[in-house]
Amino acid sequence: HADEQVDPRVRGALEALNKATESVNATEKEVVLAEKARKYVFVRTAKQLEDLSVRLGKCIAKAQPYHLAVQVAKKKQLDAVECARAFEKACSEHVAAKEMMKPPPPPVGRQASFTKTTVKTTTTVTTTTTTTLLVESSADEGGSSTSSVVAKHGGAAALAAGGPAE
């Protein structure tokens, strides 16, 4: 068969077929090398991610109490603001009640008679955080008054006594 002459049209097609086969073989080698590189990168990256998860898992476990404490602190701060608003409201209601309890001024030309009468008002404000503010005031007809505030929170009580109120 080597002695036979090949038709020039077939020879051109055979050469083109050989070049295409060589190109396919080279491309297959590249695909195999790329697959090996992908597997290597995948295994190396998986190992790195596993190492990171172990290291960061320890960090997260160490930082978790801090973040929980921050959440609790924010809630306590909001509760404190709510209690302060309730206290301010109770104080303004107390001042309004004291104003209502003041005796009227004596009419012009009449002599004022002062009899000592004690008026006691009590205002209780309860908030959702079981803080109770008890505002007590005493006033006599002479215009002097005393007030005290008792704040009860979870069974503990704090007393702040005030002098004459305006």
Side-chain angles (χ1 to χ4, degrees):
H1 298 340
D3 296 337
E4 295 179 15
Q5 286 287 358
V6 180
D7 186 12
R9 290 176 291 166
V10 174
R11 177 174 280 193
L14 285 175
E15 286 178 10
L17 184 61
N18 285 338
K19 285 182 183 179
T21 303
E22 288 174 7
S23 175
V24 166
N25 288 340
T27 305
E28 283 179 350
K29 285 181 183 178
E30 288 177 15
V31 167
V32 168
L33 290 175
E35 181 63 23
K36 284 182 181 179
R38 185 196 65 81
K39 285 181 181 178
Y40 172 75
V41 169
F42 179 78
V43 168
R44 189 180 66 184
T45 304
K47 175 69 173 139
Q48 288 175 346
L49 286 174
E50 185 179 322
D51 293 343
L52 279 174
S53 75
V54 168
R55 191 176 81 223
L56 293 178
K58 291 177 185 176
C59 292
I60 290 170
K62 288 179 184 177
Q64 188 175 12
Y66 167 77
H67 290 287
L68 291 176
V70 167
Q71 282 180 331
V72 169
K74 284 181 181 180
K75 182 170 181 356
K76 295 291 183 183
Q77 183 181 15
L78 292 174
D79 290 346
V81 168
E82 186 179 326
C83 288
R85 286 184 185 145
F87 177 76
E88 288 176 6
K89 181 181 175 186
C91 287
S92 66
E93 289 176 358
H94 171 70
V95 169
K98 282 176 47 174
E99 289 295 320
M100 289 175 46
M101 298 306 293
K102 277 188 177 176
V108 178
R110 289 182 137 193
Q111 194 175 28
S113 64
F114 290 102
T115 57
K116 188 150 180 147
T117 306
T118 301
V119 178
K120 196 168 199 172
T121 60
T122 303
T123 306
T124 303
V125 177
T126 305
T127 64
T128 58
T129 58
T130 66
T131 300
T132 302
L133 300 175
L134 182 62
V135 181
E136 295 182 354
S137 70
S138 301
D140 58 25
E141 289 186 9
S144 66
S145 66
T146 59
S147 64
S148 63
V149 177
V150 178
K152 296 179 181 178
H153 182 71
L159 176 64
E166 302 292 334

Short mmCIF file of all heavy atoms in Angstrom, two decimals, residues 16-86:
data_model
loop_
_atom_site.label_atom_id
_atom_site.label_comp_id
_atom_site.label_asym_id
_atom_site.label_seq_id
_atom_site.Cartn_x
_atom_site.Cartn_y
_atom_site.Cartn_z
N ALA A 16 -5.52 17.40 6.48
CA ALA A 16 -6.42 18.23 7.31
C ALA A 16 -6.96 17.43 8.47
O ALA A 16 -7.06 17.92 9.62
CB ALA A 16 -7.56 18.78 6.46
N LEU A 17 -7.27 16.15 8.22
CA LEU A 17 -7.77 15.28 9.28
C LEU A 17 -6.69 15.02 10.33
O LEU A 17 -6.96 15.03 11.53
CB LEU A 17 -8.25 13.95 8.67
CG LEU A 17 -8.90 12.96 9.63
CD1 LEU A 17 -10.15 13.56 10.27
CD2 LEU A 17 -9.26 11.67 8.91
N ASN A 18 -5.46 14.82 9.90
CA ASN A 18 -4.35 14.62 10.84
C ASN A 18 -4.12 15.87 11.71
O ASN A 18 -3.90 15.77 12.91
CB ASN A 18 -3.07 14.25 10.09
CG ASN A 18 -3.08 12.81 9.58
OD1 ASN A 18 -3.82 11.98 10.12
ND2 ASN A 18 -2.28 12.54 8.57
N LYS A 19 -4.16 17.04 11.10
CA LYS A 19 -3.99 18.30 11.86
C LYS A 19 -5.12 18.46 12.87
O LYS A 19 -4.90 18.86 14.02
CB LYS A 19 -3.95 19.49 10.91
CG LYS A 19 -2.65 19.60 10.16
CD LYS A 19 -2.65 20.84 9.28
CE LYS A 19 -1.38 20.90 8.47
NZ LYS A 19 -1.34 22.06 7.59
N ALA A 20 -6.36 18.14 12.46
CA ALA A 20 -7.51 18.27 13.38
C ALA A 20 -7.37 17.27 14.53
O ALA A 20 -7.66 17.61 15.69
CB ALA A 20 -8.80 18.04 12.62
N THR A 21 -6.89 16.06 14.24
CA THR A 21 -6.70 15.06 15.29
C THR A 21 -5.63 15.52 16.28
O THR A 21 -5.78 15.37 17.49
CB THR A 21 -6.33 13.69 14.66
OG1 THR A 21 -7.33 13.30 13.74
CG2 THR A 21 -6.17 12.62 15.72
N GLU A 22 -4.53 16.06 15.76
CA GLU A 22 -3.48 16.59 16.64
C GLU A 22 -4.01 17.72 17.51
O GLU A 22 -3.70 17.81 18.70
CB GLU A 22 -2.30 17.08 15.79
CG GLU A 22 -1.48 15.97 15.17
CD GLU A 22 -0.40 16.49 14.23
OE1 GLU A 22 -0.21 17.73 14.16
OE2 GLU A 22 0.21 15.68 13.56
N SER A 23 -4.83 18.58 16.93
CA SER A 23 -5.43 19.69 17.68
C SER A 23 -6.36 19.17 18.77
O SER A 23 -6.35 19.65 19.91
CB SER A 23 -6.18 20.61 16.73
OG SER A 23 -6.84 21.61 17.44
N VAL A 24 -7.15 18.14 18.44
CA VAL A 24 -8.06 17.55 19.43
C VAL A 24 -7.25 16.91 20.55
O VAL A 24 -7.57 17.06 21.74
CB VAL A 24 -9.01 16.53 18.76
CG1 VAL A 24 -9.72 15.66 19.79
CG2 VAL A 24 -10.00 17.23 17.87
N ASN A 25 -6.19 16.20 20.22
CA ASN A 25 -5.34 15.56 21.23
C ASN A 25 -4.71 16.62 22.16
O ASN A 25 -4.65 16.44 23.38
CB ASN A 25 -4.26 14.70 20.58
CG ASN A 25 -4.82 13.43 19.97
OD1 ASN A 25 -5.92 13.00 20.33
ND2 ASN A 25 -4.08 12.85 19.03
N ALA A 26 -4.21 17.70 21.58
CA ALA A 26 -3.61 18.77 22.38
C ALA A 26 -4.66 19.40 23.30
O ALA A 26 -4.39 19.67 24.49
CB ALA A 26 -2.99 19.82 21.47
N THR A 27 -5.86 19.59 22.79
CA THR A 27 -6.94 20.18 23.59
C THR A 27 -7.35 19.23 24.71
O THR A 27 -7.60 19.66 25.85
CB THR A 27 -8.15 20.52 22.70
OG1 THR A 27 -7.72 21.37 21.63
CG2 THR A 27 -9.22 21.23 23.49
N GLU A 28 -7.39 17.93 24.43
CA GLU A 28 -7.72 16.96 25.48
C GLU A 28 -6.67 16.97 26.58
O GLU A 28 -7.00 16.88 27.77
CB GLU A 28 -7.84 15.55 24.88
CG GLU A 28 -9.13 15.32 24.13
CD GLU A 28 -9.20 13.92 23.53
OE1 GLU A 28 -8.19 13.19 23.52
OE2 GLU A 28 -10.30 13.55 23.08
N LYS A 29 -5.38 17.08 26.19
CA LYS A 29 -4.31 17.18 27.20
C LYS A 29 -4.50 18.43 28.07
O LYS A 29 -4.33 18.38 29.28
CB LYS A 29 -2.94 17.20 26.53
CG LYS A 29 -2.49 15.87 26.01
CD LYS A 29 -1.12 15.97 25.37
CE LYS A 29 -0.70 14.63 24.78
NZ LYS A 29 0.61 14.72 24.11
N GLU A 30 -4.85 19.55 27.44
CA GLU A 30 -5.10 20.78 28.19
C GLU A 30 -6.28 20.61 29.15
O GLU A 30 -6.24 21.09 30.29
CB GLU A 30 -5.37 21.95 27.23
CG GLU A 30 -4.16 22.44 26.48
CD GLU A 30 -4.50 23.54 25.50
OE1 GLU A 30 -5.61 24.13 25.60
OE2 GLU A 30 -3.68 23.82 24.63
N VAL A 31 -7.33 19.92 28.71
CA VAL A 31 -8.50 19.69 29.56
C VAL A 31 -8.11 18.82 30.75
O VAL A 31 -8.51 19.10 31.90
CB VAL A 31 -9.65 19.05 28.75
CG1 VAL A 31 -10.75 18.52 29.66
CG2 VAL A 31 -10.22 20.04 27.76
N VAL A 32 -7.31 17.79 30.53
CA VAL A 32 -6.89 16.92 31.62
C VAL A 32 -6.03 17.71 32.62
O VAL A 32 -6.22 17.60 33.84
CB VAL A 32 -6.12 15.69 31.07
CG1 VAL A 32 -5.41 14.94 32.18
CG2 VAL A 32 -7.06 14.77 30.32
N LEU A 33 -5.11 18.53 32.11
CA LEU A 33 -4.27 19.35 33.00
C LEU A 33 -5.11 20.38 33.76
O LEU A 33 -4.90 20.61 34.97
CB LEU A 33 -3.18 20.05 32.19
CG LEU A 33 -2.07 19.16 31.63
CD1 LEU A 33 -1.12 19.98 30.76
CD2 LEU A 33 -1.31 18.48 32.76
N ALA A 34 -6.09 20.97 33.09
CA ALA A 34 -6.96 21.95 33.75
C ALA A 34 -7.80 21.27 34.84
O ALA A 34 -8.02 21.85 35.91
CB ALA A 34 -7.86 22.64 32.73
N GLU A 35 -8.27 20.06 34.58
CA GLU A 35 -9.05 19.32 35.58
C GLU A 35 -8.19 19.00 36.80
O GLU A 35 -8.64 19.11 37.94
CB GLU A 35 -9.62 18.04 34.96
CG GLU A 35 -10.47 17.21 35.89
CD GLU A 35 -11.73 17.91 36.38
OE1 GLU A 35 -12.20 18.84 35.70
OE2 GLU A 35 -12.23 17.53 37.45
N LYS A 36 -6.93 18.59 36.55
CA LYS A 36 -6.02 18.32 37.67
C LYS A 36 -5.78 19.60 38.49
O LYS A 36 -5.78 19.56 39.71
CB LYS A 36 -4.69 17.77 37.16
CG LYS A 36 -4.74 16.34 36.73
CD LYS A 36 -3.36 15.87 36.28
CE LYS A 36 -3.40 14.43 35.81
NZ LYS A 36 -2.07 13.98 35.35
N ALA A 37 -5.58 20.73 37.80
CA ALA A 37 -5.37 22.00 38.49
C ALA A 37 -6.61 22.40 39.29
O ALA A 37 -6.51 22.88 40.43
CB ALA A 37 -5.01 23.09 37.49
N ARG A 38 -7.80 22.18 38.70
CA ARG A 38 -9.04 22.51 39.41
C ARG A 38 -9.19 21.67 40.67
O ARG A 38 -9.54 22.19 41.72
CB ARG A 38 -10.25 22.28 38.49
CG ARG A 38 -11.58 22.72 39.13
CD ARG A 38 -12.78 22.15 38.42
NE ARG A 38 -12.89 20.71 38.51
CZ ARG A 38 -13.39 20.06 39.57
NH1 ARG A 38 -13.83 20.70 40.61
NH2 ARG A 38 -13.46 18.73 39.57
N LYS A 39 -8.91 20.37 40.57
CA LYS A 39 -8.99 19.51 41.75
C LYS A 39 -8.00 19.94 42.82
O LYS A 39 -8.32 19.99 44.01
CB LYS A 39 -8.74 18.05 41.36
CG LYS A 39 -9.90 17.39 40.65
CD LYS A 39 -9.58 15.93 40.31
CE LYS A 39 -10.75 15.29 39.58
NZ LYS A 39 -10.44 13.90 39.21
N TYR A 40 -6.78 20.30 42.39
CA TYR A 40 -5.77 20.75 43.35
C TYR A 40 -6.23 22.02 44.06
O TYR A 40 -6.15 22.12 45.28
CB TYR A 40 -4.43 20.98 42.63
CG TYR A 40 -3.39 21.61 43.51
CD1 TYR A 40 -2.74 20.87 44.49
CD2 TYR A 40 -3.08 22.96 43.39
CE1 TYR A 40 -1.80 21.45 45.32
CE2 TYR A 40 -2.14 23.55 44.20
CZ TYR A 40 -1.50 22.80 45.17
OH TYR A 40 -0.58 23.38 45.98
N VAL A 41 -6.73 22.99 43.30
CA VAL A 41 -7.21 24.25 43.88
C VAL A 41 -8.40 23.99 44.79
O VAL A 41 -8.51 24.56 45.88
CB VAL A 41 -7.55 25.26 42.77
CG1 VAL A 41 -8.30 26.46 43.33
CG2 VAL A 41 -6.30 25.71 42.05
N PHE A 42 -9.30 23.09 44.37
CA PHE A 42 -10.47 22.77 45.18
C PHE A 42 -10.07 22.16 46.52
O PHE A 42 -10.56 22.57 47.57
CB PHE A 42 -11.39 21.81 44.41
CG PHE A 42 -12.61 21.40 45.18
CD1 PHE A 42 -13.69 22.26 45.30
CD2 PHE A 42 -12.67 20.16 45.80
CE1 PHE A 42 -14.82 21.89 46.01
CE2 PHE A 42 -13.79 19.79 46.52
CZ PHE A 42 -14.87 20.65 46.62
N VAL A 43 -9.15 21.21 46.49
CA VAL A 43 -8.71 20.56 47.73
C VAL A 43 -7.99 21.57 48.63
O VAL A 43 -8.23 21.63 49.84
CB VAL A 43 -7.80 19.34 47.41
CG1 VAL A 43 -7.11 18.82 48.65
CG2 VAL A 43 -8.61 18.24 46.75
N ARG A 44 -7.11 22.37 48.03
CA ARG A 44 -6.37 23.37 48.82
C ARG A 44 -7.33 24.41 49.42
O ARG A 44 -7.23 24.75 50.60
CB ARG A 44 -5.34 24.06 47.93
CG ARG A 44 -4.40 24.96 48.73
CD ARG A 44 -3.41 25.62 47.85
NE ARG A 44 -4.16 26.54 46.98
CZ ARG A 44 -3.61 27.25 46.02
NH1 ARG A 44 -2.36 27.13 45.74
NH2 ARG A 44 -4.34 28.07 45.30
N THR A 45 -8.30 24.87 48.65
CA THR A 45 -9.27 25.86 49.14
C THR A 45 -10.17 25.25 50.22
O THR A 45 -10.48 25.92 51.22
CB THR A 45 -10.12 26.39 47.97
OG1 THR A 45 -9.26 26.91 46.98
CG2 THR A 45 -11.05 27.49 48.44
N ALA A 46 -10.58 24.02 50.04
CA ALA A 46 -11.40 23.35 51.06
C ALA A 46 -10.63 23.26 52.38
O ALA A 46 -11.19 23.49 53.46
CB ALA A 46 -11.82 21.97 50.59
N LYS A 47 -9.36 22.94 52.30
CA LYS A 47 -8.52 22.86 53.51
C LYS A 47 -8.40 24.23 54.17
O LYS A 47 -8.51 24.36 55.39
CB LYS A 47 -7.14 22.30 53.13
CG LYS A 47 -6.14 22.28 54.26
CD LYS A 47 -6.51 21.26 55.31
CE LYS A 47 -5.39 21.16 56.34
NZ LYS A 47 -5.87 21.06 57.68
N GLN A 48 -8.18 25.28 53.36
CA GLN A 48 -8.09 26.63 53.91
C GLN A 48 -9.40 27.05 54.58
O GLN A 48 -9.40 27.65 55.66
CB GLN A 48 -7.73 27.63 52.81
CG GLN A 48 -6.31 27.52 52.32
CD GLN A 48 -6.03 28.44 51.14
OE1 GLN A 48 -6.94 28.97 50.51
NE2 GLN A 48 -4.75 28.60 50.81
N LEU A 49 -10.52 26.73 53.95
CA LEU A 49 -11.82 27.07 54.54
C LEU A 49 -12.05 26.31 55.84
O LEU A 49 -12.59 26.86 56.81
CB LEU A 49 -12.95 26.78 53.56
CG LEU A 49 -13.10 27.75 52.40
CD1 LEU A 49 -14.16 27.26 51.43
CD2 LEU A 49 -13.43 29.13 52.90
N GLU A 50 -11.63 25.07 55.87
CA GLU A 50 -11.77 24.28 57.10
C GLU A 50 -10.92 24.88 58.22
O GLU A 50 -11.39 25.02 59.35
CB GLU A 50 -11.34 22.83 56.83
CG GLU A 50 -11.55 21.90 58.00
CD GLU A 50 -11.14 20.47 57.65
OE1 GLU A 50 -11.38 20.04 56.51
OE2 GLU A 50 -10.58 19.81 58.53
N ASP A 51 -9.69 25.27 57.89
CA ASP A 51 -8.83 25.91 58.90
C ASP A 51 -9.43 27.23 59.39
O ASP A 51 -9.42 27.52 60.59
CB ASP A 51 -7.43 26.16 58.33
CG ASP A 51 -6.66 24.87 58.05
OD1 ASP A 51 -7.06 23.81 58.60
OD2 ASP A 51 -5.68 24.93 57.29
N LEU A 52 -9.96 28.02 58.46
CA LEU A 52 -10.60 29.29 58.85
C LEU A 52 -11.81 29.06 59.73
O LEU A 52 -12.02 29.78 60.72
CB LEU A 52 -11.02 30.07 57.61
CG LEU A 52 -9.95 30.87 56.91
CD1 LEU A 52 -10.49 31.47 55.61
CD2 LEU A 52 -9.41 31.96 57.80
N SER A 53 -12.61 28.07 59.40
CA SER A 53 -13.81 27.82 60.22
C SER A 53 -13.43 27.39 61.63
O SER A 53 -14.08 27.77 62.60
CB SER A 53 -14.72 26.79 59.56
OG SER A 53 -14.19 25.50 59.69
N VAL A 54 -12.36 26.60 61.75
CA VAL A 54 -11.92 26.21 63.09
C VAL A 54 -11.42 27.43 63.86
O VAL A 54 -11.80 27.66 65.01
CB VAL A 54 -10.81 25.13 63.00
CG1 VAL A 54 -10.12 24.92 64.33
CG2 VAL A 54 -11.40 23.83 62.50
N ARG A 55 -10.59 28.24 63.21
CA ARG A 55 -10.03 29.42 63.88
C ARG A 55 -11.11 30.44 64.21
O ARG A 55 -11.18 30.96 65.32
CB ARG A 55 -8.95 30.05 63.01
CG ARG A 55 -8.17 31.11 63.78
CD ARG A 55 -7.04 31.69 62.98
NE ARG A 55 -7.57 32.70 62.09
CZ ARG A 55 -7.23 32.85 60.83
NH1 ARG A 55 -6.35 32.07 60.28
NH2 ARG A 55 -7.77 33.79 60.09
N LEU A 56 -11.99 30.73 63.25
CA LEU A 56 -13.04 31.72 63.49
C LEU A 56 -14.11 31.19 64.43
O LEU A 56 -14.74 31.96 65.14
CB LEU A 56 -13.65 32.17 62.16
CG LEU A 56 -12.73 32.97 61.26
CD1 LEU A 56 -13.43 33.32 59.97
CD2 LEU A 56 -12.21 34.21 61.95
N GLY A 57 -14.33 29.90 64.43
CA GLY A 57 -15.29 29.33 65.37
C GLY A 57 -14.87 29.60 66.80
O GLY A 57 -15.69 29.92 67.66
N LYS A 58 -13.58 29.52 67.07
CA LYS A 58 -13.07 29.83 68.41
C LYS A 58 -13.26 31.31 68.72
O LYS A 58 -13.64 31.68 69.83
CB LYS A 58 -11.59 29.45 68.52
CG LYS A 58 -11.35 27.96 68.49
CD LYS A 58 -9.86 27.66 68.52
CE LYS A 58 -9.61 26.16 68.38
NZ LYS A 58 -8.17 25.87 68.30
N CYS A 59 -13.01 32.16 67.74
CA CYS A 59 -13.18 33.61 67.95
C CYS A 59 -14.65 33.95 68.21
O CYS A 59 -14.95 34.77 69.07
CB CYS A 59 -12.69 34.38 66.73
SG CYS A 59 -10.92 34.30 66.46
N ILE A 60 -15.52 33.33 67.46
CA ILE A 60 -16.95 33.59 67.65
C ILE A 60 -17.38 33.13 69.03
O ILE A 60 -18.13 33.82 69.73
CB ILE A 60 -17.77 32.90 66.54
CG1 ILE A 60 -17.53 33.61 65.21
CG2 ILE A 60 -19.26 32.89 66.87
CD1 ILE A 60 -18.09 32.88 64.01
N ALA A 61 -16.90 31.98 69.44
CA ALA A 61 -17.26 31.47 70.77
C ALA A 61 -16.73 32.41 71.86
O ALA A 61 -17.39 32.61 72.88
CB ALA A 61 -16.70 30.06 70.96
N LYS A 62 -15.55 32.98 71.64
CA LYS A 62 -14.99 33.91 72.63
C LYS A 62 -15.73 35.25 72.64
O LYS A 62 -15.87 35.87 73.69
CB LYS A 62 -13.51 34.16 72.33
CG LYS A 62 -12.62 32.99 72.65
CD LYS A 62 -11.17 33.31 72.31
CE LYS A 62 -10.26 32.12 72.53
NZ LYS A 62 -8.88 32.43 72.14
N ALA A 63 -16.19 35.71 71.47
CA ALA A 63 -16.83 37.03 71.37
C ALA A 63 -18.32 36.99 71.68
O ALA A 63 -18.92 38.03 71.93
CB ALA A 63 -16.63 37.59 69.96
N GLN A 64 -18.92 35.83 71.71
CA GLN A 64 -20.37 35.74 71.90
C GLN A 64 -20.84 36.36 73.21
O GLN A 64 -21.80 37.12 73.21
CB GLN A 64 -20.80 34.28 71.80
CG GLN A 64 -22.30 34.11 71.79
CD GLN A 64 -22.70 32.66 71.57
OE1 GLN A 64 -21.88 31.77 71.64
NE2 GLN A 64 -23.97 32.45 71.31
N PRO A 65 -20.17 36.11 74.37
CA PRO A 65 -20.64 36.74 75.61
C PRO A 65 -20.63 38.26 75.54
O PRO A 65 -21.52 38.92 76.06
CB PRO A 65 -19.67 36.23 76.67
CG PRO A 65 -19.12 34.98 76.11
CD PRO A 65 -19.10 35.17 74.62
N TYR A 66 -19.63 38.83 74.86
CA TYR A 66 -19.56 40.28 74.74
C TYR A 66 -20.79 40.81 73.98
O TYR A 66 -21.43 41.77 74.40
CB TYR A 66 -18.28 40.70 74.01
CG TYR A 66 -18.29 42.14 73.57
CD1 TYR A 66 -18.07 43.16 74.48
CD2 TYR A 66 -18.57 42.48 72.25
CE1 TYR A 66 -18.10 44.48 74.08
CE2 TYR A 66 -18.60 43.79 71.85
CZ TYR A 66 -18.37 44.80 72.77
OH TYR A 66 -18.41 46.10 72.37
N HIS A 67 -21.09 40.19 72.85
CA HIS A 67 -22.21 40.67 72.05
C HIS A 67 -23.55 40.46 72.77
O HIS A 67 -24.45 41.29 72.63
CB HIS A 67 -22.20 40.00 70.68
CG HIS A 67 -21.04 40.48 69.83
ND1 HIS A 67 -21.01 41.72 69.25
CD2 HIS A 67 -19.88 39.89 69.50
CE1 HIS A 67 -19.90 41.88 68.59
NE2 HIS A 67 -19.18 40.78 68.72
N LEU A 68 -23.67 39.40 73.53
CA LEU A 68 -24.87 39.21 74.33
C LEU A 68 -24.98 40.31 75.39
O LEU A 68 -26.06 40.84 75.64
CB LEU A 68 -24.88 37.84 74.98
CG LEU A 68 -25.06 36.65 74.02
CD1 LEU A 68 -24.94 35.33 74.79
CD2 LEU A 68 -26.39 36.73 73.31
N ALA A 69 -23.85 40.66 76.01
CA ALA A 69 -23.85 41.73 77.02
C ALA A 69 -24.22 43.07 76.40
O ALA A 69 -24.92 43.87 77.02
CB ALA A 69 -22.48 41.81 77.69
N VAL A 70 -23.77 43.32 75.18
CA VAL A 70 -24.12 44.57 74.50
C VAL A 70 -25.63 44.63 74.25
O VAL A 70 -26.25 45.67 74.46
CB VAL A 70 -23.34 44.70 73.17
CG1 VAL A 70 -23.89 45.80 72.29
CG2 VAL A 70 -21.87 44.96 73.46
N GLN A 71 -26.22 43.51 73.84
CA GLN A 71 -27.67 43.47 73.63
C GLN A 71 -28.42 43.75 74.93
O GLN A 71 -29.39 44.52 74.95
CB GLN A 71 -28.10 42.11 73.09
CG GLN A 71 -27.82 41.90 71.63
CD GLN A 71 -28.28 40.53 71.16
OE1 GLN A 71 -28.31 39.58 71.93
NE2 GLN A 71 -28.64 40.44 69.90
N VAL A 72 -27.99 43.13 76.02
CA VAL A 72 -28.64 43.34 77.31
C VAL A 72 -28.49 44.80 77.74
O VAL A 72 -29.44 45.41 78.24
CB VAL A 72 -28.06 42.38 78.37
CG1 VAL A 72 -28.51 42.75 79.76
CG2 VAL A 72 -28.46 40.95 78.04
N ALA A 73 -27.30 45.37 77.54
CA ALA A 73 -27.07 46.77 77.92
C ALA A 73 -27.98 47.71 77.13
O ALA A 73 -28.52 48.67 77.70
CB ALA A 73 -25.60 47.14 77.70
N LYS A 74 -28.16 47.45 75.85
CA LYS A 74 -29.04 48.31 75.04
C LYS A 74 -30.48 48.23 75.55
O LYS A 74 -31.17 49.24 75.65
CB LYS A 74 -28.99 47.89 73.57
CG LYS A 74 -27.74 48.33 72.87
CD LYS A 74 -27.74 47.92 71.42
CE LYS A 74 -26.46 48.33 70.73
NZ LYS A 74 -26.44 47.93 69.31
N LYS A 75 -30.93 47.01 75.90
CA LYS A 75 -32.29 46.85 76.42
C LYS A 75 -32.44 47.58 77.75
O LYS A 75 -33.43 48.27 77.99
CB LYS A 75 -32.64 45.38 76.57
CG LYS A 75 -34.06 45.18 77.07
CD LYS A 75 -34.48 43.76 77.01
CE LYS A 75 -35.89 43.50 77.47
NZ LYS A 75 -36.68 44.55 77.99
N LYS A 76 -31.45 47.45 78.63
CA LYS A 76 -31.50 48.13 79.92
C LYS A 76 -31.50 49.65 79.73
O LYS A 76 -32.19 50.37 80.46
CB LYS A 76 -30.31 47.73 80.81
CG LYS A 76 -30.31 46.27 81.20
CD LYS A 76 -31.43 45.95 82.15
CE LYS A 76 -31.34 44.50 82.58
NZ LYS A 76 -32.40 44.11 83.44
N GLN A 77 -30.74 50.14 78.76
CA GLN A 77 -30.72 51.57 78.51
C GLN A 77 -32.10 52.05 78.04
O GLN A 77 -32.58 53.09 78.49
CB GLN A 77 -29.67 51.91 77.46
CG GLN A 77 -29.54 53.40 77.19
CD GLN A 77 -28.51 53.72 76.14
OE1 GLN A 77 -28.08 52.84 75.41
NE2 GLN A 77 -28.14 54.97 76.05
N LEU A 78 -32.74 51.30 77.15
CA LEU A 78 -34.09 51.67 76.71
C LEU A 78 -35.08 51.64 77.87
O LEU A 78 -35.94 52.53 77.98
CB LEU A 78 -34.55 50.74 75.59
CG LEU A 78 -33.80 50.86 74.26
CD1 LEU A 78 -34.28 49.78 73.29
CD2 LEU A 78 -34.00 52.23 73.66
N ASP A 79 -34.94 50.65 78.76
CA ASP A 79 -35.81 50.58 79.93
C ASP A 79 -35.58 51.78 80.85
O ASP A 79 -36.53 52.35 81.40
CB ASP A 79 -35.58 49.28 80.71
CG ASP A 79 -36.09 48.06 79.97
OD1 ASP A 79 -36.86 48.23 79.00
OD2 ASP A 79 -35.70 46.94 80.35
N ALA A 80 -34.32 52.18 81.00
CA ALA A 80 -34.00 53.33 81.85
C ALA A 80 -34.59 54.62 81.28
O ALA A 80 -35.12 55.46 82.02
CB ALA A 80 -32.49 53.47 82.01
N VAL A 81 -34.53 54.78 79.97
CA VAL A 81 -35.12 55.96 79.32
C VAL A 81 -36.63 55.97 79.54
O VAL A 81 -37.22 57.01 79.85
CB VAL A 81 -34.76 55.99 77.82
CG1 VAL A 81 -35.59 57.02 77.08
CG2 VAL A 81 -33.29 56.25 77.64
N GLU A 82 -37.25 54.81 79.41
CA GLU A 82 -38.69 54.71 79.64
C GLU A 82 -39.04 55.06 81.09
O GLU A 82 -40.01 55.79 81.34
CB GLU A 82 -39.16 53.29 79.31
CG GLU A 82 -40.66 53.12 79.37
CD GLU A 82 -41.08 51.70 79.00
OE1 GLU A 82 -40.43 51.09 78.15
OE2 GLU A 82 -42.07 51.24 79.58
N CYS A 83 -38.26 54.59 82.03
CA CYS A 83 -38.49 54.90 83.44
C CYS A 83 -38.30 56.39 83.71
O CYS A 83 -39.05 56.99 84.48
CB CYS A 83 -37.57 54.08 84.33
SG CYS A 83 -38.01 52.34 84.39
N ALA A 84 -37.29 56.99 83.09
CA ALA A 84 -37.05 58.43 83.27
C ALA A 84 -38.24 59.23 82.73
O ALA A 84 -38.66 60.21 83.36
CB ALA A 84 -35.77 58.83 82.56
N ARG A 85 -38.78 58.84 81.60
CA ARG A 85 -39.95 59.54 81.05
C ARG A 85 -41.15 59.40 82.00
O ARG A 85 -41.88 60.37 82.23
CB ARG A 85 -40.32 58.98 79.68
CG ARG A 85 -39.38 59.41 78.60
CD ARG A 85 -39.83 58.91 77.24
NE ARG A 85 -38.83 59.26 76.25
CZ ARG A 85 -38.51 58.51 75.21
NH1 ARG A 85 -39.12 57.37 75.02
NH2 ARG A 85 -37.60 58.90 74.36
N ALA A 86 -41.34 58.21 82.55
CA ALA A 86 -42.45 58.01 83.48
C ALA A 86 -42.25 58.86 84.73
O ALA A 86 -43.21 59.43 85.26
CB ALA A 86 -42.56 56.53 83.84
#
